[in-house]
Amino acid sequence: MYQGFYNLTSGMLTQNRNLNVISNNMVNIQTAGYKRDKMVSSTFEEEMLYRTGRYNKNIKEELGVTSKIKTAEQTYVNYEQGSFDTTGGIYDFALSGKGFFCVDTDQGVRYTRNGSFHVDEEGYLVLNNLGRVQGQGGQPIQIDDENFQVSADGTIRVVDREGNDREFGRLRIVDFADYEQLHKEDYGVFSTEQATRELAEGETTVLWKTLERSNVDMVEELTSMMSSQRALQSAAQVLKMYDQIMSKSATDVGRL
């Protein structure tokens, strides 16, 4: 009887955590470059059930494995590339292929696929007020002329009225050997302690005046949300029934 309380309560907690993950995905569906999270659940403290003989208790027969608790094992990030939107914004960039933009923040360098940049008061390329976007060598990119052009490798340059070709910098784009070591933070940025990998020519193309969409599928998220909500409601109803049965056993049966 008491095992049902463990099963139902742990199931409710797990479904509640899953709903939080789904809600976060849905909130960020319009966030450029956002990567979808998926929670995977597992069991905790699995035990083998045995059936013993009626007379000789030393004879045991394995029945199967059971677990009293269901729990969230891990939240995985889906790094699949999203589709592209042509925005026409001169500070919008997208990566077609592997890699991440690098941004200097107060907590150190952070990595992102969100190329919805703008410039600060000093003309430096920045992301969402998180920090300045890095160019090659880790240096910030300062843009003092909006009539610039961007090449496929991320080089930002302008040809002035005198015909002089000035280069503001080239976007620093890096990749990693193991995405499992990336830690997802707020605003869809990532941090990691592992070394960065410089991309070879042709691995990634910088698309100018374009943004990468979130890879969240709204229909899939709504389906998962309804499934989790129903599982949560069902567990709550059965838990209420368990509580009523235990109350009856403590009052009515106790009088006999």
Side-chain angles (χ1 to χ4, degrees):
M1 177 67 73
Y2 289 104
Q3 180 173 338
F5 284 101
Y6 289 103
N7 292 336
L8 295 167
T9 304
S10 63
M12 291 174 63
L13 293 173
T14 302
Q15 293 301 334
N16 188 58
R17 290 188 62 180
N18 190 39
L19 285 171
N20 289 337
V21 172
I22 294 172
S23 299
N24 188 58
N25 287 336
M26 295 175 70
V27 166
N28 286 281
I29 195 169
Q30 296 297 329
T31 302
Y34 179 82
K35 301 305 175 187
R36 173 179 178 264
D37 290 325
K38 181 176 179 60
M39 193 199 77
V40 177
S41 60
S42 180
T43 55
F44 179 74
E45 275 205 20
E46 294 185 344
E47 299 175 347
M48 176 64 73
L49 293 180
Y50 294 93
R51 180 171 62 191
T52 60
R54 296 181 62 183
Y55 302 104
N56 186 355
K57 301 298 183 181
N58 293 322
I59 301 176
K60 297 186 294 184
E61 179 184 354
E62 293 184 358
L63 296 179
V65 177
T66 185
S67 175
K68 295 183 175 64
I69 297 177
K70 182 178 181 181
T71 183
E73 179 180 6
Q74 188 174 353
T75 299
Y76 293 93
V77 180
N78 180 3
Y79 292 98
E80 181 180 352
Q81 182 172 279
S83 58
F84 297 109
D85 273 339
T86 302
T87 63
I90 62 173
Y91 299 117
D92 289 342
F93 302 84
L95 298 178
S96 177
K98 299 180 180 180
F100 297 83
F101 298 110
C102 304
V103 181
D104 275 321
T105 71
D106 294 337
Q107 290 74 39
V109 182
R110 295 296 182 263
Y111 308 95
T112 181
R113 296 279 297 191
N114 184 358
S116 181
F117 304 144
H118 61 277
V119 292
D120 60 15
E121 295 82 359
E122 299 178 39
Y124 287 98
L125 203 62
V126 296
L127 171 65
N128 294 335
N129 297 318
L130 290 176
R132 292 175 175 174
V133 180
Q134 285 190 354
Q136 290 298 308
Q139 299 300 314
I141 298 176
Q142 188 176 29
I143 300 175
D144 58 14
D145 190 335
E146 293 185 346
N147 297 314
F148 60 85
Q149 298 291 322
V150 180
S151 57
D153 65 353
T155 300
I156 305 173
R157 57 166 48 91
V158 65
V159 178
D160 58 25
R161 296 178 179 178
E162 288 76 23
N164 299 317
D165 188 351
R166 286 194 300 133
E167 184 176 309
F168 295 127
R170 181 157 67 93
L171 293 168
R172 184 186 177 211
I173 304 167
V174 299
D175 200 19
F176 303 96
D178 184 9
Y179 282 12
E180 294 297 324
Q181 296 185 37
L182 295 179
H183 174 66
K184 193 173 187 180
E185 300 181 358
D186 294 336
Y187 307 106
V189 300
F190 299 88
S191 62
T192 184
E193 296 296 328
Q194 65 180 309
T196 59
R197 180 179 73 86
E198 298 298 326
L199 295 172
E201 184 178 354
E203 277 193 273
T204 296
T205 301
V206 177
L207 305 179
W208 186 36
K209 299 183 180 181
T210 302
L211 289 177
E212 179 185 356
R213 285 184 177 181
S214 162
N215 64 358
V216 176
D217 186 329
M218 179 59 78
V219 175
E220 184 177 347
E221 297 301 319
L222 285 172
T223 303
S224 299
M225 182 182 68
M226 289 188 290
S227 177
S228 289
Q229 284 180 332
R230 288 171 181 169
L232 181 61
Q233 292 169 356
S234 298
Q237 290 295 326
V238 178
L239 190 63
K240 185 177 180 180
M241 293 171 60
Y242 264 84
D243 184 61
Q244 292 173 346
I245 293 172
M246 294 301 294
S247 178
K248 286 284 186 180
S249 66
T251 56
D252 298 349
V253 180
R255 296 194 187 100
L256 299 179

